[in-house]
Amino acid sequence: MKLELVDGIHLLTLDEASQVINDSTLAGWDDALSTVEASQGPTALVVTGEGKTFNQGLDLPFIGGLGEAFPDFIRNVHQLFGRLLRVDVPTIAAMNGHTIAGGAMVALCMDLRVMRSDRGWFRLPEVELQMPFTTVMDGLVSARIPQPAQHRMMVLGERVGGEGALAAGAVDAVAEGEDGPREAAMAKAGEEGLVWNDETLKTYLTSPKAMVKGTKMAFSGLKDEGDLANMIAYLSTFSTATESAAEPAAEEAAAPEEAAAADVPEAPEAAAEAAAVAEPA
C-alpha cells in the first residue's frame, strides 16, 4: 500500500497485495493511520484500490493456517475497525471495484463511501463462507446499512453493484470509470477536510463570518491586501500545507487526530476450502 500527500489530502492506495487483510496488511494500515494522525493542519484520508478491486477482506488462505492464533488475529482486525472509526480526520472510501466481506467493513468504517457505478460488487458473503459475524462486525454493519438491505446482505449474501449499493444506503455516492471514485472522493475530501491554502486562507481572513456560518468571533476580517498577504505569509511559516506562493505574494504587497475487542469465533474449519469461493471478474 502507498500513502501519499496530494494537495494536503492523504491518499492511501491499496495495491493487489494489500487488498486483503492479514498480519502484513494490518501492519501497513497501522503505519498509514499513525502517519495521518501525526499530520499537522487540516487534512482528510481517502482510501482507494488498484485495478478491479478495492478490498476483498480477510485473507482466507492466511487465516486457514492460523489455528489457535485466529482469535487474536480477529481482535487485531477489530482494532483496525476501531482506528478507522476514531481517526480524527474525515475519511472517504473510493471504492474502485469489488468490495467484499471484511473489505466492505473497512469501507463501512469510513465517514463516506463513493463506489464505481459501472464495475464491481459490494457483498457480505459470510453466510456462504460459513463464517459468523462477530459482535463488532454485526454492530458495524447494522449501524451503517439500513433495513431491509441489511438483512438481504447479511443473511442472504446478496451482492449489489454501485447503483444497488447506493439505493441500499451502503454507499453515499457513485462515480463512473476507473478513476471516477478517487476523483470524486478527493474533491469531497477537500471540502470535508477544508485544506488550507492561500485561497481558502484569504477567503477566511477577509470575512470569517461568511465562511464559517454561525461563528460568534468578534474579528470581522482583514480588508487591506497588504495585511492579508503578510498574514498568510506569517501563517505559512507554521505549516508546509500552505502553498509556496504565499511568500512572493507577501513581498509584492509589502509596500503598503478503539473498538473494544468483542467475542471472537473459533477458526472456521472450512477456511481453506472457503478460499476457493471467488468473485466474478
Side-chain angles (χ1 to χ4, degrees):
M1 62 181 67
K2 178 183 179 182
L3 181 66
E4 54 191 326
L5 195 62
V6 181
D7 295 330
I9 298 166
H10 287 86
L11 175 63
L12 180 62
T13 303
L14 307 177
D15 58 11
E16 184 177 356
S18 53
Q19 289 168 356
V20 291
I21 302 174
N22 53 37
D23 280 349
S24 177
T25 56
L26 284 175
W29 278 100
D30 186 64
D31 289 343
L33 290 172
S34 294
T35 298
V36 173
E37 290 169 339
S39 65
Q40 300 295 313
T43 188
L45 171 64
V46 171
V47 181
T48 192
E50 290 182 347
K52 66 180 182 180
T53 300
F54 173 72
N55 194 295
Q56 299 188 66
L58 302 186
D59 184 341
L60 295 178
F62 169 79
I63 67 173
L66 283 176
E68 295 181 356
F70 179 74
D72 288 337
F73 170 73
I74 291 298
R75 290 189 186 95
N76 291 336
V77 173
H78 289 170
Q79 289 176 1
L80 169 62
F81 294 167
R83 288 198 72 183
L84 285 169
L85 288 164
R86 295 194 313 270
V87 63
D88 195 23
V89 302
T91 56
I92 305 179
M95 300 150 63
N96 55 295
H98 299 315
T99 305
I100 309 297
M105 295 178 207
V106 165
L108 291 174
C109 287
M110 299 185 197
D111 298 319
L112 296 171
R113 288 159 294 286
V114 182
M115 186 170 178
R116 183 171 176 176
S117 60
D118 55 336
R119 185 173 190 176
W121 299 111
F122 182 97
R123 190 184 180 205
L124 299 170
E126 279 74 6
V127 64
E128 182 177 343
L129 300 178
Q130 301 181 27
M131 296 178 67
F133 292 95
T134 66
T135 298
V136 169
M137 295 173 181
D138 178 78
L140 173 63
V141 176
S142 299
R144 295 300 205 203
I145 302 178
Q147 294 286 12
Q150 176 197 131
H151 174 85
R152 295 198 303 269
M153 291 183 185
M154 295 184 73
V155 178
L156 305 179
E158 179 181 273
R159 68 184 187 186
V160 293
E163 295 291 350
L166 180 63
V171 303
D172 302 282
V174 293
E176 188 174 351
E178 182 178 353
D179 299 327
R182 185 189 71 250
E183 292 173 353
M186 291 294 286
K188 186 63 176 175
E191 298 172 12
E192 296 293 320
L194 191 57
V195 176
W196 292 103
N197 53 30
D198 287 1
E199 184 178 352
T200 52
L201 278 172
K202 184 174 181 180
T203 301
Y204 175 75
L205 292 171
T206 299
S207 181
K209 292 183 179 180
M211 188 171 180
V212 184
K213 304 298 183 182
T215 181
K216 297 182 179 179
M217 67 186 299
F219 176 61
S220 61
L222 297 173
K223 309 305 178 186
D224 183 86
E225 288 292 328
D227 291 340
L228 279 168
N230 287 330
M231 178 60 76
I232 292 172
Y234 172 70
L235 292 173
S236 72
T237 64
F238 294 95
S239 173
T240 58
T242 54
E243 296 178 353
S244 59
E247 292 184 10
E251 292 172 0
E252 180 179 349
E257 217 180 249
E258 163 178 306
D263 63 316
V264 179
E266 295 297 324
E269 295 180 0
E273 290 81 353
V277 178
E279 290 298 319

